[in-house]
Amino acid sequence: MLAAAWRYRHFIWASIVRDVRARFAGSKLGLVWSILHPLAQAAIYTLILAEVLGARVPGIDDRTAYPVYLMAGLAAWGLFSEILTRSVSIFLDYSNALKKIAFPRISLPLIVCGGAIFNHVLLLLAVGGLFVLLGHPLTIAWAIIPVGIILISAFAIGLGLILGTLNVFERDVAQLVGVVLQLWFWLTPIAYFLESVPAQFLPLMQANPMTPLVQLYQGAMLYGRFPTNAEFAIASAIATLVLIVALFVFRRASADLVDAL
């Protein structure tokens, strides 16, 4: 499957460009909307949690620290949720193309992933500039962010492949994913800190596969530190394992995929 995807790399790249253009066709601001939406969400959370409820980063006496922590977590979560949400319905969205055109089916989640990463990079550039304006300079630890992008994308595309394949045979999967994602967001330390979680719920938060991936972003952007070997090993193992399982499931089900559509 990967060899076939490589042979069709020009088709995948052209499809990514077309997908990005189509999403903002007719819009005067175009790609700017992909930056404004997450920034607006971060601003709302900051206003409610930091200004109204007085949320502060433990151990840091800086009013700008919490917005930085929040935007770092939202950036990581946004990449994950966009790839996962679109991957779940990708085979249904492209059902006509799958029936009429011969191309590797693995190309579709790769196209979704490419478009999401493009939007994510634009957001990171805007966030980096905003951090500088807030008096929070960028550090060398930002160099780990591309690795974080790869790990989050691998985890999201793996999970999306599994659920997207299931969604072809059972259409309620997409609806369930939307509900689960809302709960999953609040089970991930994005708007709060692990230090503030009651002891009885801490194992649940630590078992969350998105926790180490989000903390990789937060550690680099706020604390200016690289992940420890243990943190990096856990994040890498989760992403790799889910992706391998997804490719196995997809390979087994791909023969019946078009018939089910």
Side-chain angles (χ1 to χ4, degrees):
M1 287 188 294
L2 297 180
W6 175 252
R7 290 196 301 271
Y8 277 76
R9 62 189 181 278
H10 300 298
F11 163 75
I12 293 173
W13 173 252
S15 298
I16 291 172
V17 174
R18 185 169 58 251
D19 180 64
V20 170
R21 289 177 176 173
R23 291 177 65 184
F24 302 101
S27 171
K28 292 183 179 180
L29 293 180
L31 293 174
V32 176
W33 286 116
S34 65
I35 300 173
L36 290 180
H37 283 303
L39 289 182
Q41 184 184 22
I44 293 171
Y45 278 119
T46 300
L47 176 64
I48 296 174
L49 298 175
E51 300 302 326
V52 177
L53 299 180
R56 294 291 183 271
V57 178
I60 299 181
D61 187 18
D62 185 351
R63 291 178 61 86
T64 65
Y66 183 75
V68 170
Y69 176 88
L70 184 61
M71 281 188 281
L74 287 175
W77 179 263
L79 176 62
F80 166 71
S81 62
E82 181 178 354
I83 294 175
L84 177 58
T85 302
R86 295 194 63 203
S87 295
V88 169
S89 60
I90 190 66
F91 299 117
L92 297 179
D93 294 339
Y94 284 82
S95 58
N96 290 332
L98 286 170
K99 294 174 183 177
K100 298 176 182 178
I101 305 174
F103 65 93
R105 293 158 192 165
I106 194 66
S107 301
L108 293 180
L110 293 177
I111 292 169
V112 167
C113 187
I117 291 176
F118 177 78
N119 292 335
H120 185 66
V121 170
L122 290 181
L123 174 63
L124 290 179
L125 292 174
V127 166
L130 184 58
F131 286 0
V132 173
L133 292 176
L134 290 174
H136 191 86
L138 309 186
T139 66
I140 189 63
W142 273 67
I144 198 65
I145 296 299
V147 178
I149 292 174
I150 293 172
L151 294 177
I152 292 174
S153 299
F155 177 56
I157 202 172
L159 197 56
L161 261 179
I162 296 172
L163 296 175
T165 302
L166 293 175
N167 190 49
V168 172
F169 302 97
E170 180 53 66
R171 305 299 169 86
D172 290 329
V173 171
Q175 304 301 324
L176 180 62
V177 168
V179 176
V180 171
L181 272 178
Q182 295 182 52
L183 177 61
W184 198 345
F185 174 85
W186 291 107
L187 290 176
T188 307
I190 296 174
Y192 58 88
F193 313 94
L194 280 180
E195 295 84 350
S196 62
V197 175
Q200 63 267 31
F201 298 115
L202 193 57
L204 176 62
M205 303 300 178
Q206 292 174 331
N208 180 355
M210 277 302 293
T211 295
L213 296 171
V214 167
Q215 288 182 326
L216 185 147
Y217 268 61
Q218 292 166 338
M221 294 184 179
L222 176 60
Y223 300 103
R225 65 172 180 84
F226 290 93
T228 64
N229 291 336
E231 292 171 338
F232 184 76
I234 292 172
S236 301
I238 290 171
T240 303
L241 178 62
V242 171
L243 186 58
I244 290 174
V245 172
L247 291 174
F248 175 78
V249 171
F250 182 69
R251 184 180 179 86
R252 292 292 300 270
S254 60
D256 302 319
L257 204 60
V258 175
D259 294 335
L261 291 170

